[in-house]
PDB file of all heavy atoms in Angstrom:
ATOM      1  N   HIS A   1     -75.853 -39.963-133.647  1.00  0.00           N
ATOM      2  CA  HIS A   1     -74.855 -40.942-133.616  1.00  0.00           C
ATOM      3  C   HIS A   1     -75.389 -42.355-133.655  1.00  0.00           C
ATOM      4  O   HIS A   1     -76.503 -42.598-132.902  1.00  0.00           O
ATOM      5  CB  HIS A   1     -73.912 -40.801-132.320  1.00  0.00           C
ATOM      6  CG  HIS A   1     -72.663 -41.527-132.418  1.00  0.00           C
ATOM      7  ND1 HIS A   1     -72.552 -42.783-132.033  1.00  0.00           N
ATOM      8  CD2 HIS A   1     -71.405 -41.113-132.616  1.00  0.00           C
ATOM      9  CE1 HIS A   1     -71.273 -43.226-132.200  1.00  0.00           C
ATOM     10  NE2 HIS A   1     -70.608 -42.122-132.578  1.00  0.00           N
ATOM     11  N   PRO A   2     -74.821 -43.334-134.353  1.00  0.00           N
ATOM     12  CA  PRO A   2     -75.364 -44.712-134.361  1.00  0.00           C
ATOM     13  C   PRO A   2     -75.342 -45.455-133.126  1.00  0.00           C
ATOM     14  O   PRO A   2     -76.204 -46.288-132.819  1.00  0.00           O
ATOM     15  CB  PRO A   2     -74.495 -45.443-135.374  1.00  0.00           C
ATOM     16  CG  PRO A   2     -73.574 -44.483-136.088  1.00  0.00           C
ATOM     17  CD  PRO A   2     -73.701 -43.194-135.171  1.00  0.00           C
ATOM     18  N   ASN A   3     -74.415 -45.102-132.181  1.00  0.00           N
ATOM     19  CA  ASN A   3     -74.424 -45.710-130.836  1.00  0.00           C
ATOM     20  C   ASN A   3     -75.685 -45.292-130.076  1.00  0.00           C
ATOM     21  O   ASN A   3     -75.904 -44.089-129.889  1.00  0.00           O
ATOM     22  CB  ASN A   3     -73.141 -45.357-130.107  1.00  0.00           C
ATOM     23  CG  ASN A   3     -72.919 -46.101-128.840  1.00  0.00           C
ATOM     24  OD1 ASN A   3     -73.902 -46.526-128.275  1.00  0.00           O
ATOM     25  ND2 ASN A   3     -71.721 -46.110-128.363  1.00  0.00           N
ATOM     26  N   ARG A   4     -76.379 -46.255-129.636  1.00  0.00           N
ATOM     27  CA  ARG A   4     -77.722 -46.005-128.992  1.00  0.00           C
ATOM     28  C   ARG A   4     -77.556 -45.346-127.602  1.00  0.00           C
ATOM     29  O   ARG A   4     -78.515 -44.907-126.995  1.00  0.00           O
ATOM     30  CB  ARG A   4     -78.490 -47.288-128.880  1.00  0.00           C
ATOM     31  CG  ARG A   4     -78.963 -47.852-130.216  1.00  0.00           C
ATOM     32  CD  ARG A   4     -79.920 -46.870-130.931  1.00  0.00           C
ATOM     33  NE  ARG A   4     -80.242 -47.315-132.261  1.00  0.00           N
ATOM     34  CZ  ARG A   4     -81.102 -46.762-133.005  1.00  0.00           C
ATOM     35  NH1 ARG A   4     -81.523 -45.583-132.689  1.00  0.00           N
ATOM     36  NH2 ARG A   4     -81.339 -47.179-134.187  1.00  0.00           N
ATOM     37  N   ALA A   5     -76.308 -45.271-127.125  1.00  0.00           N
ATOM     38  CA  ALA A   5     -76.118 -44.535-125.831  1.00  0.00           C
ATOM     39  C   ALA A   5     -76.422 -43.143-125.932  1.00  0.00           C
ATOM     40  O   ALA A   5     -76.914 -42.540-124.991  1.00  0.00           O
ATOM     41  CB  ALA A   5     -74.710 -44.786-125.439  1.00  0.00           C
ATOM     42  N   PHE A   6     -76.319 -42.563-127.139  1.00  0.00           N
ATOM     43  CA  PHE A   6     -76.646 -41.164-127.396  1.00  0.00           C
ATOM     44  C   PHE A   6     -78.168 -40.823-127.418  1.00  0.00           C
ATOM     45  O   PHE A   6     -78.569 -39.806-127.381  1.00  0.00           O
ATOM     46  CB  PHE A   6     -75.959 -40.628-128.650  1.00  0.00           C
ATOM     47  CG  PHE A   6     -74.499 -40.470-128.454  1.00  0.00           C
ATOM     48  CD1 PHE A   6     -73.587 -41.566-128.930  1.00  0.00           C
ATOM     49  CD2 PHE A   6     -73.917 -39.376-127.898  1.00  0.00           C
ATOM     50  CE1 PHE A   6     -72.300 -41.447-128.774  1.00  0.00           C
ATOM     51  CE2 PHE A   6     -72.501 -39.264-127.825  1.00  0.00           C
ATOM     52  CZ  PHE A   6     -71.720 -40.284-128.273  1.00  0.00           C
ATOM     53  N   ASP A   7     -78.974 -41.960-127.480  1.00  0.00           N
ATOM     54  CA  ASP A   7     -80.405 -41.782-127.463  1.00  0.00           C
ATOM     55  C   ASP A   7     -80.939 -41.252-126.198  1.00  0.00           C
ATOM     56  O   ASP A   7     -82.047 -40.740-126.129  1.00  0.00           O
ATOM     57  CB  ASP A   7     -81.050 -43.104-127.771  1.00  0.00           C
ATOM     58  CG  ASP A   7     -81.082 -43.429-129.261  1.00  0.00           C
ATOM     59  OD1 ASP A   7     -80.740 -42.584-130.077  1.00  0.00           O
ATOM     60  OD2 ASP A   7     -81.442 -44.606-129.652  1.00  0.00           O
ATOM     61  N   ARG A   8     -80.085 -41.237-125.130  1.00  0.00           N
ATOM     62  CA  ARG A   8     -80.554 -40.772-123.846  1.00  0.00           C
ATOM     63  C   ARG A   8     -80.776 -39.197-123.858  1.00  0.00           C
ATOM     64  O   ARG A   8     -81.542 -38.630-123.193  1.00  0.00           O
ATOM     65  CB  ARG A   8     -79.466 -40.993-122.740  1.00  0.00           C
ATOM     66  CG  ARG A   8     -79.560 -42.488-122.317  1.00  0.00           C
ATOM     67  CD  ARG A   8     -78.569 -42.698-121.151  1.00  0.00           C
ATOM     68  NE  ARG A   8     -77.402 -43.450-121.814  1.00  0.00           N
ATOM     69  CZ  ARG A   8     -76.291 -43.352-121.403  1.00  0.00           C
ATOM     70  NH1 ARG A   8     -75.867 -42.615-120.272  1.00  0.00           N
ATOM     71  NH2 ARG A   8     -75.313 -44.052-121.949  1.00  0.00           N
ATOM     72  N   LEU A   9     -80.116 -38.610-124.934  1.00  0.00           N
ATOM     73  CA  LEU A   9     -80.383 -37.203-125.047  1.00  0.00           C
ATOM     74  C   LEU A   9     -81.775 -36.855-125.462  1.00  0.00           C
ATOM     75  O   LEU A   9     -82.354 -35.777-125.267  1.00  0.00           O
ATOM     76  CB  LEU A   9     -79.416 -36.619-126.147  1.00  0.00           C
ATOM     77  CG  LEU A   9     -77.922 -36.648-125.835  1.00  0.00           C
ATOM     78  CD1 LEU A   9     -77.069 -36.357-127.019  1.00  0.00           C
ATOM     79  CD2 LEU A   9     -77.690 -35.673-124.606  1.00  0.00           C
ATOM     80  N   ARG A  10     -82.384 -37.829-126.136  1.00  0.00           N
ATOM     81  CA  ARG A  10     -83.852 -37.683-126.527  1.00  0.00           C
ATOM     82  C   ARG A  10     -84.816 -37.505-125.403  1.00  0.00           C
ATOM     83  O   ARG A  10     -85.956 -37.075-125.488  1.00  0.00           O
ATOM     84  CB  ARG A  10     -84.246 -38.777-127.482  1.00  0.00           C
ATOM     85  CG  ARG A  10     -83.539 -38.815-128.732  1.00  0.00           C
ATOM     86  CD  ARG A  10     -84.151 -39.728-129.726  1.00  0.00           C
ATOM     87  NE  ARG A  10     -83.232 -39.838-130.891  1.00  0.00           N
ATOM     88  CZ  ARG A  10     -83.163 -38.858-131.853  1.00  0.00           C
ATOM     89  NH1 ARG A  10     -83.763 -37.817-131.720  1.00  0.00           N
ATOM     90  NH2 ARG A  10     -82.314 -39.119-132.854  1.00  0.00           N
ATOM     91  N   ALA A  11     -84.292 -38.002-124.206  1.00  0.00           N
ATOM     92  CA  ALA A  11     -85.091 -37.891-122.991  1.00  0.00           C
ATOM     93  C   ALA A  11     -85.385 -36.338-122.638  1.00  0.00           C
ATOM     94  O   ALA A  11     -86.324 -35.948-122.018  1.00  0.00           O
ATOM     95  CB  ALA A  11     -84.544 -38.549-121.862  1.00  0.00           C
ATOM     96  N   LEU A  12     -84.516 -35.485-123.241  1.00  0.00           N
ATOM     97  CA  LEU A  12     -84.672 -34.093-123.015  1.00  0.00           C
ATOM     98  C   LEU A  12     -85.893 -33.563-123.772  1.00  0.00           C
ATOM     99  O   LEU A  12     -86.343 -32.519-123.573  1.00  0.00           O
ATOM    100  CB  LEU A  12     -83.366 -33.293-123.461  1.00  0.00           C
ATOM    101  CG  LEU A  12     -82.084 -33.672-122.628  1.00  0.00           C
ATOM    102  CD1 LEU A  12     -80.939 -32.984-123.313  1.00  0.00           C
ATOM    103  CD2 LEU A  12     -82.247 -33.206-121.250  1.00  0.00           C
ATOM    104  N   ASP A  13     -86.313 -34.276-124.710  1.00  0.00           N
ATOM    105  CA  ASP A  13     -87.441 -33.923-125.626  1.00  0.00           C
ATOM    106  C   ASP A  13     -88.582 -34.973-125.492  1.00  0.00           C
ATOM    107  O   ASP A  13     -88.676 -35.906-126.458  1.00  0.00           O
ATOM    108  CB  ASP A  13     -86.989 -33.821-127.046  1.00  0.00           C
ATOM    109  CG  ASP A  13     -88.067 -33.336-127.968  1.00  0.00           C
ATOM    110  OD1 ASP A  13     -89.072 -32.797-127.500  1.00  0.00           O
ATOM    111  OD2 ASP A  13     -87.834 -33.523-129.254  1.00  0.00           O
ATOM    112  N   PRO A  14     -89.332 -34.922-124.491  1.00  0.00           N
ATOM    113  CA  PRO A  14     -90.405 -36.023-124.282  1.00  0.00           C
ATOM    114  C   PRO A  14     -91.362 -36.107-125.399  1.00  0.00           C
ATOM    115  O   PRO A  14     -92.007 -37.066-125.631  1.00  0.00           O
ATOM    116  CB  PRO A  14     -91.069 -35.702-122.883  1.00  0.00           C
ATOM    117  CG  PRO A  14     -90.700 -34.227-122.673  1.00  0.00           C
ATOM    118  CD  PRO A  14     -89.429 -33.980-123.401  1.00  0.00           C
ATOM    119  N   ILE A  15     -91.648 -34.916-125.959  1.00  0.00           N
ATOM    120  CA  ILE A  15     -92.727 -34.996-127.040  1.00  0.00           C
ATOM    121  C   ILE A  15     -92.147 -35.410-128.424  1.00  0.00           C
ATOM    122  O   ILE A  15     -92.859 -36.003-129.239  1.00  0.00           O
ATOM    123  CB  ILE A  15     -93.290 -33.475-127.206  1.00  0.00           C
ATOM    124  CG1 ILE A  15     -93.995 -33.068-125.963  1.00  0.00           C
ATOM    125  CG2 ILE A  15     -94.244 -33.521-128.361  1.00  0.00           C
ATOM    126  CD1 ILE A  15     -94.445 -31.679-125.868  1.00  0.00           C
ATOM    127  N   GLY A  16     -90.787 -35.365-128.580  1.00  0.00           N
ATOM    128  CA  GLY A  16     -90.160 -35.713-129.730  1.00  0.00           C
ATOM    129  C   GLY A  16     -90.280 -34.723-130.939  1.00  0.00           C
ATOM    130  O   GLY A  16     -90.073 -35.146-132.118  1.00  0.00           O
ATOM    131  N   LEU A  17     -90.425 -33.527-130.629  1.00  0.00           N
ATOM    132  CA  LEU A  17     -90.466 -32.443-131.698  1.00  0.00           C
ATOM    133  C   LEU A  17     -89.304 -31.653-131.838  1.00  0.00           C
ATOM    134  O   LEU A  17     -89.055 -31.033-132.898  1.00  0.00           O
ATOM    135  CB  LEU A  17     -91.767 -31.576-131.433  1.00  0.00           C
ATOM    136  CG  LEU A  17     -93.107 -32.235-131.558  1.00  0.00           C
ATOM    137  CD1 LEU A  17     -94.170 -31.230-131.121  1.00  0.00           C
ATOM    138  CD2 LEU A  17     -93.291 -32.780-132.917  1.00  0.00           C
ATOM    139  N   MET A  18     -88.559 -31.518-130.704  1.00  0.00           N
ATOM    140  CA  MET A  18     -87.410 -30.585-130.790  1.00  0.00           C
ATOM    141  C   MET A  18     -86.061 -31.196-131.136  1.00  0.00           C
ATOM    142  O   MET A  18     -85.206 -30.488-131.707  1.00  0.00           O
ATOM    143  CB  MET A  18     -87.259 -29.919-129.330  1.00  0.00           C
ATOM    144  CG  MET A  18     -88.472 -29.101-128.908  1.00  0.00           C
ATOM    145  SD  MET A  18     -88.788 -27.761-130.127  1.00  0.00           S
ATOM    146  CE  MET A  18     -87.373 -26.760-129.969  1.00  0.00           C
ATOM    147  N   ILE A  19     -85.930 -32.432-130.931  1.00  0.00           N
ATOM    148  CA  ILE A  19     -84.648 -33.097-131.349  1.00  0.00           C
ATOM    149  C   ILE A  19     -84.959 -34.047-132.454  1.00  0.00           C
ATOM    150  O   ILE A  19     -85.479 -35.086-132.221  1.00  0.00           O
ATOM    151  CB  ILE A  19     -83.993 -33.858-130.139  1.00  0.00           C
ATOM    152  CG1 ILE A  19     -83.783 -32.949-129.011  1.00  0.00           C
ATOM    153  CG2 ILE A  19     -82.694 -34.478-130.617  1.00  0.00           C
ATOM    154  CD1 ILE A  19     -83.276 -33.510-127.722  1.00  0.00           C
ATOM    155  N   PRO A  20     -84.637 -33.694-133.671  1.00  0.00           N
ATOM    156  CA  PRO A  20     -85.074 -34.602-134.871  1.00  0.00           C
ATOM    157  C   PRO A  20     -84.041 -35.850-134.902  1.00  0.00           C
ATOM    158  O   PRO A  20     -82.999 -35.895-134.277  1.00  0.00           O
ATOM    159  CB  PRO A  20     -84.744 -33.642-136.063  1.00  0.00           C
ATOM    160  CG  PRO A  20     -83.781 -32.618-135.539  1.00  0.00           C
ATOM    161  CD  PRO A  20     -84.015 -32.447-134.081  1.00  0.00           C
ATOM    162  N   ASN A  21     -84.679 -36.864-135.549  1.00  0.00           N
ATOM    163  CA  ASN A  21     -83.923 -38.044-135.783  1.00  0.00           C
ATOM    164  C   ASN A  21     -83.649 -38.071-137.276  1.00  0.00           C
ATOM    165  O   ASN A  21     -84.439 -38.435-138.037  1.00  0.00           O
ATOM    166  CB  ASN A  21     -84.768 -39.267-135.255  1.00  0.00           C
ATOM    167  CG  ASN A  21     -83.933 -40.569-135.374  1.00  0.00           C
ATOM    168  OD1 ASN A  21     -82.771 -40.563-135.916  1.00  0.00           O
ATOM    169  ND2 ASN A  21     -84.523 -41.636-134.939  1.00  0.00           N
ATOM    170  N   TRP A  22     -82.337 -37.813-137.562  1.00  0.00           N
ATOM    171  CA  TRP A  22     -82.115 -37.811-138.970  1.00  0.00           C
ATOM    172  C   TRP A  22     -81.130 -38.983-139.458  1.00  0.00           C
ATOM    173  O   TRP A  22     -80.381 -38.928-140.333  1.00  0.00           O
ATOM    174  CB  TRP A  22     -81.315 -36.575-139.356  1.00  0.00           C
ATOM    175  CG  TRP A  22     -82.066 -35.298-139.281  1.00  0.00           C
ATOM    176  CD1 TRP A  22     -83.381 -35.185-139.641  1.00  0.00           C
ATOM    177  CD2 TRP A  22     -81.669 -34.023-138.890  1.00  0.00           C
ATOM    178  NE1 TRP A  22     -83.809 -33.875-139.453  1.00  0.00           N
ATOM    179  CE2 TRP A  22     -82.756 -33.130-139.060  1.00  0.00           C
ATOM    180  CE3 TRP A  22     -80.461 -33.471-138.490  1.00  0.00           C
ATOM    181  CZ2 TRP A  22     -82.688 -31.714-138.745  1.00  0.00           C
ATOM    182  CZ3 TRP A  22     -80.371 -32.157-138.289  1.00  0.00           C
ATOM    183  CH2 TRP A  22     -81.443 -31.315-138.406  1.00  0.00           C
ATOM    184  N   ARG A  23     -81.221 -40.027-138.662  1.00  0.00           N
ATOM    185  CA  ARG A  23     -80.412 -41.225-139.071  1.00  0.00           C
ATOM    186  C   ARG A  23     -81.007 -41.696-140.434  1.00  0.00           C
ATOM    187  O   ARG A  23     -82.192 -41.889-140.543  1.00  0.00           O
ATOM    188  CB  ARG A  23     -80.521 -42.362-138.044  1.00  0.00           C
ATOM    189  CG  ARG A  23     -79.803 -41.969-136.688  1.00  0.00           C
ATOM    190  CD  ARG A  23     -79.942 -43.181-135.820  1.00  0.00           C
ATOM    191  NE  ARG A  23     -79.331 -42.942-134.594  1.00  0.00           N
ATOM    192  CZ  ARG A  23     -79.898 -42.744-133.398  1.00  0.00           C
ATOM    193  NH1 ARG A  23     -81.235 -43.011-133.331  1.00  0.00           N
ATOM    194  NH2 ARG A  23     -79.362 -42.492-132.340  1.00  0.00           N
ATOM    195  N   PHE A  24     -80.068 -41.938-141.358  1.00  0.00           N
ATOM    196  CA  PHE A  24     -80.516 -42.232-142.751  1.00  0.00           C
ATOM    197  C   PHE A  24     -80.817 -43.710-142.907  1.00  0.00           C
ATOM    198  O   PHE A  24     -81.549 -44.088-143.857  1.00  0.00           O
ATOM    199  CB  PHE A  24     -79.506 -41.758-143.748  1.00  0.00           C
ATOM    200  CG  PHE A  24     -79.368 -40.341-143.837  1.00  0.00           C
ATOM    201  CD1 PHE A  24     -78.381 -39.666-143.245  1.00  0.00           C
ATOM    202  CD2 PHE A  24     -80.404 -39.621-144.350  1.00  0.00           C
ATOM    203  CE1 PHE A  24     -78.273 -38.253-143.350  1.00  0.00           C
ATOM    204  CE2 PHE A  24     -80.352 -38.155-144.472  1.00  0.00           C
ATOM    205  CZ  PHE A  24     -79.265 -37.578-143.976  1.00  0.00           C
ATOM    206  N   PHE A  25     -80.333 -44.572-142.000  1.00  0.00           N
ATOM    207  CA  PHE A  25     -80.718 -46.067-142.173  1.00  0.00           C
ATOM    208  C   PHE A  25     -81.214 -46.528-140.923  1.00  0.00           C
ATOM    209  O   PHE A  25     -80.948 -46.075-139.783  1.00  0.00           O
ATOM    210  CB  PHE A  25     -79.391 -46.767-142.562  1.00  0.00           C
ATOM    211  CG  PHE A  25     -78.862 -46.288-143.820  1.00  0.00           C
ATOM    212  CD1 PHE A  25     -77.700 -45.479-143.892  1.00  0.00           C
ATOM    213  CD2 PHE A  25     -79.446 -46.567-145.053  1.00  0.00           C
ATOM    214  CE1 PHE A  25     -77.183 -44.903-145.035  1.00  0.00           C
ATOM    215  CE2 PHE A  25     -78.835 -46.116-146.248  1.00  0.00           C
ATOM    216  CZ  PHE A  25     -77.761 -45.342-146.295  1.00  0.00           C
ATOM    217  N   ALA A  26     -81.971 -47.617-141.062  1.00  0.00           N
ATOM    218  CA  ALA A  26     -82.568 -48.257-139.923  1.00  0.00           C
ATOM    219  C   ALA A  26     -81.341 -48.979-139.120  1.00  0.00           C
ATOM    220  O   ALA A  26     -80.192 -48.960-139.671  1.00  0.00           O
ATOM    221  CB  ALA A  26     -83.601 -49.327-140.379  1.00  0.00           C
ATOM    222  N   PRO A  27     -81.646 -49.587-137.951  1.00  0.00           N
ATOM    223  CA  PRO A  27     -80.546 -50.301-137.274  1.00  0.00           C
ATOM    224  C   PRO A  27     -79.912 -51.312-138.225  1.00  0.00           C
ATOM    225  O   PRO A  27     -78.682 -51.592-138.074  1.00  0.00           O
ATOM    226  CB  PRO A  27     -81.292 -50.954-136.137  1.00  0.00           C
ATOM    227  CG  PRO A  27     -82.490 -50.154-135.930  1.00  0.00           C
ATOM    228  CD  PRO A  27     -82.903 -49.584-137.234  1.00  0.00           C
ATOM    229  N   PHE A  28     -80.676 -51.927-139.128  1.00  0.00           N
ATOM    230  CA  PHE A  28     -80.056 -52.855-140.044  1.00  0.00           C
ATOM    231  C   PHE A  28     -80.353 -52.446-141.494  1.00  0.00           C
ATOM    232  O   PHE A  28     -81.412 -52.856-142.040  1.00  0.00           O
ATOM    233  CB  PHE A  28     -80.640 -54.268-139.726  1.00  0.00           C
ATOM    234  CG  PHE A  28     -80.456 -54.708-138.318  1.00  0.00           C
ATOM    235  CD1 PHE A  28     -81.576 -54.687-137.446  1.00  0.00           C
ATOM    236  CD2 PHE A  28     -79.259 -55.157-137.840  1.00  0.00           C
ATOM    237  CE1 PHE A  28     -81.442 -55.077-136.114  1.00  0.00           C
ATOM    238  CE2 PHE A  28     -79.126 -55.521-136.483  1.00  0.00           C
ATOM    239  CZ  PHE A  28     -80.140 -55.415-135.614  1.00  0.00           C
ATOM    240  N   PRO A  29     -79.499 -51.739-142.026  1.00  0.00           N
ATOM    241  CA  PRO A  29     -79.818 -51.179-143.392  1.00  0.00           C
ATOM    242  C   PRO A  29     -79.847 -52.314-144.396  1.00  0.00           C
ATOM    243  O   PRO A  29     -79.319 -53.359-144.217  1.00  0.00           O
ATOM    244  CB  PRO A  29     -78.623 -50.264-143.677  1.00  0.00           C
ATOM    245  CG  PRO A  29     -77.550 -50.719-142.765  1.00  0.00           C
ATOM    246  CD  PRO A  29     -78.216 -51.272-141.581  1.00  0.00           C
ATOM    247  N   ALA A  30     -80.694 -52.108-145.518  1.00  0.00           N
ATOM    248  CA  ALA A  30     -80.868 -53.177-146.523  1.00  0.00           C
ATOM    249  C   ALA A  30     -79.513 -53.294-147.272  1.00  0.00           C
ATOM    250  O   ALA A  30     -78.855 -52.347-147.604  1.00  0.00           O
ATOM    251  CB  ALA A  30     -81.952 -52.674-147.466  1.00  0.00           C
ATOM    252  N   ARG A  31     -79.147 -54.522-147.471  1.00  0.00           N
ATOM    253  CA  ARG A  31     -77.922 -54.816-148.188  1.00  0.00           C
ATOM    254  C   ARG A  31     -78.169 -55.496-149.580  1.00  0.00           C
ATOM    255  O   ARG A  31     -77.265 -56.007-150.161  1.00  0.00           O
ATOM    256  CB  ARG A  31     -77.001 -55.640-147.327  1.00  0.00           C
ATOM    257  CG  ARG A  31     -76.507 -54.886-146.075  1.00  0.00           C
ATOM    258  CD  ARG A  31     -75.529 -55.661-145.310  1.00  0.00           C
ATOM    259  NE  ARG A  31     -75.001 -54.871-144.240  1.00  0.00           N
ATOM    260  CZ  ARG A  31     -75.398 -54.917-143.018  1.00  0.00           C
ATOM    261  NH1 ARG A  31     -76.370 -55.685-142.737  1.00  0.00           N
ATOM    262  NH2 ARG A  31     -74.853 -54.217-142.086  1.00  0.00           N
ATOM    263  N   HIS A  32     -79.503 -55.619-149.859  1.00  0.00           N
ATOM    264  CA  HIS A  32     -79.764 -56.257-151.119  1.00  0.00           C
ATOM    265  C   HIS A  32     -81.166 -55.768-151.599  1.00  0.00           C
ATOM    266  O   HIS A  32     -81.833 -55.001-150.949  1.00  0.00           O
ATOM    267  CB  HIS A  32     -79.871 -57.751-150.910  1.00  0.00           C
ATOM    268  CG  HIS A  32     -80.716 -58.063-149.696  1.00  0.00           C
ATOM    269  ND1 HIS A  32     -80.330 -58.264-148.519  1.00  0.00           N
ATOM    270  CD2 HIS A  32     -82.130 -58.274-149.754  1.00  0.00           C
ATOM    271  CE1 HIS A  32     -81.378 -58.547-147.689  1.00  0.00           C
ATOM    272  NE2 HIS A  32     -82.444 -58.475-148.387  1.00  0.00           N
ATOM    273  N   ASP A  33     -81.443 -56.186-152.836  1.00  0.00           N
ATOM    274  CA  ASP A  33     -82.744 -55.805-153.438  1.00  0.00           C
ATOM    275  C   ASP A  33     -83.568 -57.055-153.733  1.00  0.00           C
ATOM    276  O   ASP A  33     -82.971 -58.184-153.737  1.00  0.00           O
ATOM    277  CB  ASP A  33     -82.580 -55.051-154.692  1.00  0.00           C
ATOM    278  CG  ASP A  33     -81.989 -53.620-154.533  1.00  0.00           C
ATOM    279  OD1 ASP A  33     -82.486 -52.961-153.466  1.00  0.00           O
ATOM    280  OD2 ASP A  33     -81.203 -53.055-155.307  1.00  0.00           O
ATOM    281  N   TYR A  34     -84.779 -56.901-154.075  1.00  0.00           N
ATOM    282  CA  TYR A  34     -85.593 -57.999-154.531  1.00  0.00           C
ATOM    283  C   TYR A  34     -86.151 -57.827-155.886  1.00  0.00           C
ATOM    284  O   TYR A  34     -86.483 -56.654-156.273  1.00  0.00           O
ATOM    285  CB  TYR A  34     -86.781 -58.290-153.595  1.00  0.00           C
ATOM    286  CG  TYR A  34     -86.400 -58.746-152.191  1.00  0.00           C
ATOM    287  CD1 TYR A  34     -86.214 -57.946-151.118  1.00  0.00           C
ATOM    288  CD2 TYR A  34     -86.332 -60.197-151.988  1.00  0.00           C
ATOM    289  CE1 TYR A  34     -85.934 -58.415-149.830  1.00  0.00           C
ATOM    290  CE2 TYR A  34     -85.925 -60.659-150.791  1.00  0.00           C
ATOM    291  CZ  TYR A  34     -85.820 -59.760-149.675  1.00  0.00           C
ATOM    292  OH  TYR A  34     -85.472 -60.284-148.490  1.00  0.00           O
ATOM    293  N   HIS A  35     -86.288 -58.791-156.626  1.00  0.00           N
ATOM    294  CA  HIS A  35     -87.125 -58.771-157.842  1.00  0.00           C
ATOM    295  C   HIS A  35     -88.154 -59.782-157.743  1.00  0.00           C
ATOM    296  O   HIS A  35     -88.038 -60.839-157.023  1.00  0.00           O
ATOM    297  CB  HIS A  35     -86.216 -59.290-159.069  1.00  0.00           C
ATOM    298  CG  HIS A  35     -85.356 -58.211-159.695  1.00  0.00           C
ATOM    299  ND1 HIS A  35     -85.919 -57.137-160.247  1.00  0.00           N
ATOM    300  CD2 HIS A  35     -84.062 -58.086-159.825  1.00  0.00           C
ATOM    301  CE1 HIS A  35     -84.911 -56.277-160.787  1.00  0.00           C
ATOM    302  NE2 HIS A  35     -83.808 -56.920-160.420  1.00  0.00           N
ATOM    303  N   VAL A  36     -89.319 -59.477-158.362  1.00  0.00           N
ATOM    304  CA  VAL A  36     -90.482 -60.425-158.366  1.00  0.00           C
ATOM    305  C   VAL A  36     -90.620 -60.830-159.882  1.00  0.00           C
ATOM    306  O   VAL A  36     -90.671 -59.926-160.756  1.00  0.00           O
ATOM    307  CB  VAL A  36     -91.752 -59.749-157.933  1.00  0.00           C
ATOM    308  CG1 VAL A  36     -92.875 -60.653-158.012  1.00  0.00           C
ATOM    309  CG2 VAL A  36     -91.656 -59.217-156.462  1.00  0.00           C
ATOM    310  N   LEU A  37     -90.407 -62.125-160.107  1.00  0.00           N
ATOM    311  CA  LEU A  37     -90.550 -62.669-161.384  1.00  0.00           C
ATOM    312  C   LEU A  37     -91.831 -63.469-161.526  1.00  0.00           C
ATOM    313  O   LEU A  37     -92.328 -63.915-160.451  1.00  0.00           O
ATOM    314  CB  LEU A  37     -89.359 -63.583-161.754  1.00  0.00           C
ATOM    315  CG  LEU A  37     -87.960 -62.848-161.639  1.00  0.00           C
ATOM    316  CD1 LEU A  37     -86.960 -63.968-161.853  1.00  0.00           C
ATOM    317  CD2 LEU A  37     -87.805 -61.736-162.521  1.00  0.00           C
ATOM    318  N   TYR A  38     -92.367 -63.703-162.631  1.00  0.00           N
ATOM    319  CA  TYR A  38     -93.421 -64.557-162.854  1.00  0.00           C
ATOM    320  C   TYR A  38     -93.363 -65.400-164.130  1.00  0.00           C
ATOM    321  O   TYR A  38     -92.642 -64.961-165.044  1.00  0.00           O
ATOM    322  CB  TYR A  38     -94.805 -63.785-162.745  1.00  0.00           C
ATOM    323  CG  TYR A  38     -95.029 -62.861-164.012  1.00  0.00           C
ATOM    324  CD1 TYR A  38     -95.807 -63.594-165.048  1.00  0.00           C
ATOM    325  CD2 TYR A  38     -94.563 -61.660-164.161  1.00  0.00           C
ATOM    326  CE1 TYR A  38     -96.124 -62.724-166.221  1.00  0.00           C
ATOM    327  CE2 TYR A  38     -94.895 -60.863-165.291  1.00  0.00           C
ATOM    328  CZ  TYR A  38     -95.622 -61.446-166.345  1.00  0.00           C
ATOM    329  OH  TYR A  38     -95.831 -60.700-167.422  1.00  0.00           O
ATOM    330  N   ARG A  39     -93.988 -66.524-164.200  1.00  0.00           N
ATOM    331  CA  ARG A  39     -94.213 -67.184-165.476  1.00  0.00           C
ATOM    332  C   ARG A  39     -95.643 -67.626-165.456  1.00  0.00           C
ATOM    333  O   ARG A  39     -96.316 -67.801-164.453  1.00  0.00           O
ATOM    334  CB  ARG A  39     -93.193 -68.385-165.517  1.00  0.00           C
ATOM    335  CG  ARG A  39     -93.483 -69.442-164.508  1.00  0.00           C
ATOM    336  CD  ARG A  39     -92.495 -70.657-164.799  1.00  0.00           C
ATOM    337  NE  ARG A  39     -92.558 -71.511-163.700  1.00  0.00           N
ATOM    338  CZ  ARG A  39     -91.646 -72.599-163.563  1.00  0.00           C
ATOM    339  NH1 ARG A  39     -90.806 -72.794-164.558  1.00  0.00           N
ATOM    340  NH2 ARG A  39     -91.775 -73.409-162.626  1.00  0.00           N
ATOM    341  N   THR A  40     -96.112 -67.828-166.708  1.00  0.00           N
ATOM    342  CA  THR A  40     -97.599 -68.114-166.933  1.00  0.00           C
ATOM    343  C   THR A  40     -97.643 -69.583-167.431  1.00  0.00           C
ATOM    344  O   THR A  40     -96.750 -70.144-167.897  1.00  0.00           O
ATOM    345  CB  THR A  40     -98.134 -67.142-167.862  1.00  0.00           C
ATOM    346  OG1 THR A  40     -97.441 -67.139-169.137  1.00  0.00           O
ATOM    347  CG2 THR A  40     -98.115 -65.798-167.330  1.00  0.00           C
TER     348      THR A  40
END
């Protein structure tokens, strides 16, 4: 769940191997792209 209050459940897994983190986006997902342009 995106609400960080549910992260307390991860305390049940101190090693971090039994409860996976499948959140697909970081806390602030990217909302744009970048291009790199050049001129000579």
Side-chain angles (χ1 to χ4, degrees):
H1 195 280
N3 186 336
R4 294 296 177 180
F6 289 97
D7 281 348
R8 284 184 257 152
L9 295 171
R10 294 193 189 286
L12 300 172
D13 183 17
I15 300 174
L17 295 175
M18 296 302 295
I19 303 175
N21 185 357
W22 291 329
R23 289 185 184 114
F24 291 108
F25 300 104
F28 305 105
R31 293 185 174 96
H32 53 267
D33 289 323
Y34 287 97
H35 275 298
V36 179
L37 306 175
Y38 73 92
R39 64 180 173 181
T40 57

